[in-house]
Amino acid sequence: MDRPLKETVYSPDSELLSFGRLLRSMLSDLLNSRELAWRLMVRNISAQYRQSLLGYAWAFLPPLFTTAIWVFLQSQKVFTVADTGMPYPVFVLTGTVLWQTFVEALNAPLQMVNESKAMLSKINFPREALILTGIGQVLFSFTIRVFILIPVYWWFEVPFQAGVLLALIGVLALIALGITIGLLLTPLGMLYQDIGRGLGFGTQALFFLTPIVYPVPQASWAETLVTLNPVTPLLQATRDWLVLGQTGHLDGFFWVCVLTLIFLFAGWILYRIAMPHLISRMSA
Amino acid sequence: MSDDVLVKVDGVSKKFCRSLKRSLWYGVKDVGSELFGREGGHGELRKNEFWAVDDVSFELRRGECLGLIGPNGAGKSTLLKMLNGLMKPDIGTIRMRGRTGALIELGAGFNPILTARENIYVNGSVLGFTKQEIDRTFNEIVDFAEIGDFLDTPVQNFSSGMKVRLGFAIAAQMEPDVLLIDEVLAVGDAAFRSKCINSISKITNHSSVILVSHSMPAVARVCNRSICLKDGVNAFEGQTPQAILKYLDFLTVDSSLSSPDGLLKDCKLRISNKDKENWSQEITMKSGEGVDIELSFSLDTTVNDFCINIGISDGDMNPAIQIYSLRSHPAFMNNRANGSEKKISATIDNLPLKSGRFHINVYIAEVRSDYTIGRVFGSLLSAAVINVVDHYPGFAPVQLVAVWRD
């Protein structure tokens, strides 16, 4: 053998002790997992819609339906909302689509890992692939949803503006935040089902603490809670960019993005170094 | 580490927990100590824990194939998963050189709804192939798996044998430096199994292979060295035939009498080396020597004529030799009057068995008036054990002698 062979060492020592090596292998695994992630994504998406009559419609039916209900309730004066700065249906539909994208990203890591348990405990493939697959799937269903935004915007005469490009960054930030929280919860969620259940319940509660169907309430406890919610600035700014072309929530947006990046990195490391321990517990 | 040593396992141990609740909690703690940069292993057992793999060491060079055998729960698969980097050892270190391939579960990653063609690409990239590599070997995979007509059929309509064939065909395209194989040959028909074994032998030429299997013929055929694990401990390491003997020693089979209609009762078998009168339930003999056997039992008074069929099976309970009494003796007659104990003895002059442990099974069956064999009245499985000693490392159960001319 003329080529030098790469030596891999498995020992009980924590991988954090050789941090440089950890970083290098994280990066190379991320690069090596692109093709696999692509395949898995194509596999999941085509399998998902092959066994369904409505097919891709499932990506946009739920937000359309939710929006219809809220618009109906509001038109019947069941509740009143303060000025939203844009037509109410546009406000709700945009909010719901963005929210749905965040929730999908939040659930993606745990869902991907749980679906792939058999593969994880039998094949040593770059674990990053699962997360990339999850991100890809979230982006895919977001893209489908954009196609229902377009006719609605046209109907309500929302002008097309350059801010739409900024909205793209906003969407990526929302996905990053969802993935980050999901990643941090994944190790515990693989061991205990409580996390998965809590996640479903928690996102329902968070829906009402995020300005999706009504703007941030004024001067009350609710205002504090809604403002502390990290999703709030991302969602508000992105919606503003999409509809108005500019936003007044730049500060919040910026700081949440910085924190997201830091925690995303931490979550990635946690996910990686926890995996062998979780696999030991799964197949023991 | 010398140049062609590809696998070096040094004092590796792994513990598991018997209680699920505790196991999950220990999992949380282990992740925690990993986060705080723990150095070295966790040497002590916590409550409800046991060593699944206990202080195992070995080395493997290029061109060697190591068999990993042992009874169920001996720690074979756990060891393999640590070698593959799926789990971390609790103590000890593992050094692997070069690219590692693993056939641990064939077709993990198959999606049942997708077609075979699509799954070849998915499974291939799970195993680390690029699209170009799969394109290049696509036809070989399809040929090897023998699924030509079903290429565009969803995998959920495949039989389990077809799935395994496809899984093996994809995985066999790997050109690893180290190949780990875990009991994947159990499914599939004999023709495909032998094809798999041939392709493993071919891979062994330029790689190190570790094979976990319960199929001793397969281990004997491809492994030049074997380790027998028992309760996580390396119980024997060395030549494959000796390791297999050790493994078969661990398989204790209790003798069991069965008689569906209760027609056969109190069946006992004693054996002795021929003419030695050392009657016992277990004897040791050299290959090719003879044995005396003595059978005592009672049959129901309704039973008329009967014959005896003696089966000798190897440690894995595969039949090796059969001896029908009717071949050399007319039907036996039952003591119909009182149904008292019947004693029958026989001498087998020559048992040319390979070395190892053999079980003697006794069947007592009806002989009809037209001298055909009717229903079985009852059987006594593993009635006695013969330990055969032989100089030659055979893998076929019966070893004959020929007359040679030069």
Side-chain angles (χ1 to χ4, degrees):
Chain A
M1 281 283 128
D2 38 358
R3 72 197 152 103
L5 289 178
K6 193 177 149 236
E7 187 180 286
T8 320
V9 181
Y10 303 116
S11 81
D13 295 347
S14 165
E15 285 185 67
L16 286 176
L17 291 174
S18 37
F19 199 67
R21 181 159 18 129
L22 177 66
L23 284 186
R24 272 197 301 282
S25 58
M26 279 167 73
L27 266 177
S28 76
D29 279 356
L30 185 66
L31 290 177
N32 290 335
S33 63
R34 283 171 310 174
E35 173 146 356
L36 173 58
W38 174 255
R39 289 259 160 234
L40 290 177
M41 191 184 101
V42 171
R43 175 194 81 169
N44 290 353
I45 290 173
S46 51
Q48 195 178 339
Y49 293 111
R50 198 166 288 188
Q51 224 179 16
S52 138
L53 285 176
L54 291 178
Y56 296 107
W58 280 114
F60 56 78
L61 283 180
L64 218 52
F65 195 64
T66 319
T67 308
I69 291 178
W70 284 99
V71 170
F72 171 74
L73 291 178
Q74 197 259 350
S75 70
Q76 299 296 304
K77 303 276 186 264
V78 174
F79 61 93
T80 50
V81 286
D83 179 28
T84 53
M86 56 186 88
Y88 187 67
V90 172
F91 182 84
V92 177
L93 185 65
T94 314
T96 325
V97 164
L98 294 177
W99 171 254
Q100 192 110 38
T101 305
F102 166 76
V103 171
E104 276 181 8
L106 176 66
N107 288 316
L110 190 54
Q111 201 184 332
M112 289 301 305
V113 165
N114 276 334
E115 278 170 13
S116 317
K117 270 187 178 173
M119 233 166 80
L120 279 169
S121 65
K122 304 215 156 102
I123 301 176
N124 194 350
F125 62 95
R127 274 65 174 102
E128 283 73 10
L130 290 182
I131 304 303
L132 287 186
T133 306
I135 295 174
Q137 282 172 233
V138 174
L139 277 172
F140 178 78
S141 47
F142 173 76
T143 313
I144 294 181
R145 287 189 199 115
V146 166
F147 287 103
I148 55 159
L149 286 182
I150 292 171
V152 174
Y153 283 11
W154 176 79
W155 178 260
F156 286 97
E157 295 174 350
V158 174
F160 181 85
Q161 290 158 103
V164 172
L165 296 175
L166 285 171
L168 210 60
I169 299 176
V171 171
L172 292 179
L174 271 168
I175 294 176
L177 178 65
I179 292 285
T180 302
I181 303 174
L183 263 182
L184 289 168
L185 291 175
T186 293
L188 214 52
M190 276 175 83
L191 294 174
Y192 295 104
Q193 295 193 340
D194 310 47
I195 301 295
R197 287 165 190 244
L199 215 53
F201 171 79
T203 44
Q204 260 178 12
L206 203 62
F207 178 86
F208 293 103
L209 292 179
T210 313
I212 302 163
V213 292
Y214 41 77
V216 179
Q218 297 298 309
S220 64
W221 265 101
E223 184 191 359
T224 325
L225 281 177
V226 172
T227 321
L228 283 177
N229 175 359
V231 188
T232 301
L234 300 190
L235 192 130
Q236 278 179 314
T238 312
R239 179 167 50 197
D240 288 353
W241 279 324
L242 272 172
V243 183
L244 307 172
Q246 55 186 350
T247 182
H249 304 282
L250 264 183
D251 274 4
F253 184 87
F254 176 75
W255 286 115
V256 172
C257 281
V258 170
L259 287 177
T260 298
L261 284 180
I262 295 171
F263 280 102
L264 179 61
F265 185 61
W268 184 10
I269 293 181
L270 175 70
Y271 170 77
R272 251 191 96 94
I273 65 176
M275 197 51 81
H277 295 284
L278 304 175
I279 289 171
S280 309
R281 300 299 156 182
M282 280 182 342
S283 49
Chain B
M1 204 153 148
S2 119
D3 214 36
D4 57 345
V5 175
L6 296 183
V7 181
K8 189 171 160 63
V9 174
D10 206 0
V12 162
S13 301
K14 176 82 190 167
K15 55 195 172 180
F16 278 154
C17 180
R18 287 190 185 90
S19 129
L20 176 68
K21 270 254 154 80
R22 248 177 233 286
S23 173
L24 296 180
W25 180 236
Y26 292 153
V28 176
K29 283 179 150 176
D30 288 350
V31 174
S33 66
E34 179 94 27
L35 278 182
F36 289 105
R38 173 190 74 183
E39 193 163 6
H42 266 186
E44 68 293 337
L45 290 178
R46 295 166 287 192
K47 197 179 166 190
N48 279 345
E49 280 188 327
F50 64 97
W51 292 112
V53 173
D54 194 355
D55 196 16
V56 172
S57 306
F58 63 88
E59 274 187 10
L60 201 60
R61 288 159 199 281
R62 197 180 288 283
E64 280 186 317
C65 178
L66 178 79
L68 212 51
I69 56 181
N72 287 333
K76 309 179 294 286
S77 299
T78 307
L79 182 56
L80 218 56
K81 284 186 177 179
M82 286 192 283
L83 291 172
N84 196 15
L86 296 171
M87 304 177 184
K88 292 178 78 161
D90 282 315
I91 308 177
T93 51
I94 298 171
R95 283 162 201 281
M96 309 281 287
R97 297 184 55 197
R99 182 166 153 182
T100 303
L103 306 184
I104 291 193
E105 189 175 87
L106 297 175
F110 276 170
N111 185 309
I113 301 176
L114 300 186
T115 65
R117 187 191 299 276
E118 290 166 311
N119 270 309
I120 288 176
Y121 282 93
V122 174
N123 206 229
S125 39
V126 169
L127 295 174
F129 295 109
T130 62
K131 182 170 180 304
Q132 290 76 14
E133 283 174 302
I134 303 172
D135 284 337
R136 212 175 48 229
T137 50
F138 190 86
N139 291 333
E140 277 170 65
I141 294 175
V142 175
D143 286 348
F144 194 98
E146 300 165 26
I147 54 152
D149 296 340
F150 299 94
L151 208 47
D152 293 303
T153 308
V155 166
Q156 63 183 355
N157 298 345
F158 276 31
S159 72
S160 51
M162 284 165 80
K163 268 185 237 169
V164 169
R165 270 177 3 215
L166 183 57
F168 188 91
I170 300 169
Q173 297 304 320
M174 289 188 291
E175 287 167 357
D177 295 293
V178 182
L179 180 65
L180 312 172
I181 307 173
D182 190 359
E183 197 61 290
V184 293
L185 307 173
V187 208
D189 53 33
F192 190 75
R193 275 207 306 273
S194 120
K195 203 159 147 186
C196 291
I197 290 177
N198 287 339
S199 100
I200 292 171
S201 304
K202 212 187 288 167
I203 296 172
T204 310
N205 290 338
H206 45 85
S207 319
S208 293
V209 178
I210 300 180
L211 174 72
V212 168
S213 181
H214 284 119
S215 157
M216 292 309 126
V219 173
R221 254 183 78 182
V222 295
C223 301
N224 19 43
R225 202 149 62 85
S226 289
I227 286 181
C228 180
L229 287 181
K230 167 90 162 104
D231 299 329
V233 181
N234 182 349
F236 179 86
E237 179 179 356
Q239 297 292 312
T240 300
Q242 281 87 326
I244 292 177
L245 288 185
K246 191 78 188 172
Y247 162 71
L248 295 177
D249 273 350
F250 290 135
L251 299 182
T252 49
V253 183
D254 292 331
S255 85
S256 60
L257 173 72
S258 90
S259 175
D261 303 317
L263 298 175
L264 173 70
K265 287 199 191 75
D266 305 322
C267 185
K268 281 203 181 62
L269 179 79
R270 297 195 305 164
I271 55 175
S272 138
N273 293 67
K274 192 182 168 198
D275 303 331
K276 292 274 166 52
E277 301 280 332
N278 55 342
W279 297 103
S280 151
Q281 232 83 54
E282 178 162 355
I283 58 165
T284 301
M285 63 166 225
K286 283 194 188 132
S287 178
E289 288 183 342
V291 287
D292 290 321
I293 68 177
E294 189 186 86
L295 190 60
S296 65
F297 52 90
S298 57
L299 279 168
D300 193 83
T301 48
T302 58
V303 172
N304 230 341
D305 291 353
F306 65 92
C307 68
I308 295 171
N309 171 16
I310 290 181
I312 299 181
S313 53
D314 69 9
D316 251 354
M317 294 311 269
N318 299 314
I321 287 182
Q322 243 184 330
I323 303 162
Y324 268 108
S325 67
L326 274 186
R327 278 189 201 276
S328 50
H329 191 278
F332 298 107
M333 275 187 301
N334 191 15
N335 306 335
R336 292 189 60 189
N338 50 10
S340 66
E341 188 184 52
K342 182 109 185 145
K343 268 197 175 160
I344 289 176
S345 57
T347 299
I348 306 165
D349 276 329
N350 170 18
L351 275 181
L353 295 166
K354 71 163 179 171
S355 60
R357 205 174 153 85
F358 288 85
H359 299 267
I360 302 188
N361 311 303
V362 179
Y363 305 83
I364 298 183
E366 178 188 14
V367 178
R368 299 202 195 96
S369 48
D370 61 352
Y371 270 81
T372 54
I373 296 173
R375 64 190 172 128
V376 175
F377 295 128
S379 64
L380 183 64
L381 296 185
S382 190
V385 171
I386 306 177
N387 292 303
V388 182
V389 186
D390 191 16
H391 295 302
Y392 305 99
F395 54 85
V398 176
Q399 306 279 319
L400 295 181
V401 180
V403 180
W404 300 89
R405 285 170 288 271
D406 190 1

